Amino acid sequence: IAWALAGSGRRHLVWLAESMYLGDSSNSQRLMASTAQHFSWIGEKKGWSQGDPRYPQLMKGCAAIALFEVLTEDGRLCPRCKGLGEVKKRDDGDGKLHAIVCPRCHGIRPFEWSDGLRLAKLNDLLHGEKLARSTWYDTWRHRYYQCVIMIRQWRDELLRHVKRRAWQQDEIA
């Protein structure tokens, strides 16, 4: 994996691959710091830092929880569709079973954490005053999901690099 990413200049992808696919946690602190830094850059670009004095702590907490959520999502299959992404539903018109997109996971397949669970985990990481539900739902829930999206984009980029290098190696052989 490191070979496939050589020259990409994206060390966080190597650390993500080590954590996600090799079970190697030796660079987990570097991956966490990189995740928090990249998430902070997103926040700065979007002007999120005004207002809450807990902003740095909330950003780090969201980054840590989002990283853990993404790293473990392959092991959490949707309980409704069992990871298939679709369920059978009987059509009232003809009485036959038809496959529809799973209403629980929306075809994504891994079971995502609920917002309530995410808030509880964030509050567990915060020292002192807890984040109110209203603040979570009005402000931080959307920011948190931006971090999840960022990490999933890293995973997709990682897989693209590995596939591209594998194709190049096949062409050489």
Side-chain angles (χ1 to χ4, degrees):
I1 292 174
W3 169 81
L5 294 168
S8 73
R10 306 187 48 88
R11 302 210 44 174
H12 61 278
L13 296 181
V14 174
W15 301 329
L16 181 64
E18 290 171 349
S19 293
M20 191 170 248
Y21 300 113
L22 303 177
D24 181 356
S25 61
S26 61
N27 286 313
S28 60
Q29 292 299 324
R30 288 184 178 120
L31 176 60
M32 180 57 242
S34 183
T35 303
Q37 182 63 51
H38 281 82
F39 187 44
S40 291
W41 290 337
I42 291 171
E44 288 172 19
K45 287 180 190 175
K46 295 183 180 258
W48 293 345
S49 60
Q50 287 88 24
D52 196 333
R54 299 173 300 170
Y55 174 77
Q57 188 180 9
L58 288 167
M59 291 296 283
K60 286 180 184 175
C62 283
I65 296 164
L67 182 60
F68 183 72
E69 180 176 356
V70 173
L71 287 175
T72 60
E73 71 186 354
D74 286 341
R76 290 188 318 270
L77 295 180
C78 173
R80 177 88 186 264
C81 69
K82 309 290 188 260
L84 297 174
E86 61 185 27
V87 294
K88 302 287 184 184
K89 183 175 180 181
R90 191 164 306 279
D91 188 348
D92 293 333
D94 63 10
K96 294 181 182 179
L97 285 176
H98 297 279
I100 62 166
V101 173
C102 177
R104 175 64 183 98
C105 71
H106 306 288
I108 298 171
R109 295 181 177 93
F111 179 68
E112 288 193 344
W113 289 348
S114 68
D115 285 325
L117 180 60
R118 291 170 177 157
L119 174 60
K121 289 186 176 292
L122 181 59
N123 278 333
D124 287 345
L125 289 180
L126 294 177
H127 304 292
E129 188 180 335
K130 303 294 183 190
L131 188 66
R133 279 180 64 88
S134 60
T135 305
W136 168 258
Y137 282 101
D138 292 344
T139 305
W140 284 96
R141 168 175 78 150
H142 309 291
R143 293 175 181 180
Y144 174 89
Y145 207 69
Q146 288 293 307
C147 190
V148 169
I149 290 168
M150 176 191 75
I151 299 165
R152 287 179 179 159
Q153 287 172 339
W154 288 359
R155 181 192 58 207
D156 294 345
E157 183 179 353
L158 162 68
L159 294 174
R160 280 193 308 273
H161 276 290
V162 170
K163 287 177 184 178
R164 183 174 27 246
R165 291 296 290 226
W167 281 103
Q168 288 172 351
Q169 190 64 24
D170 282 347
E171 291 174 359
I172 293 171

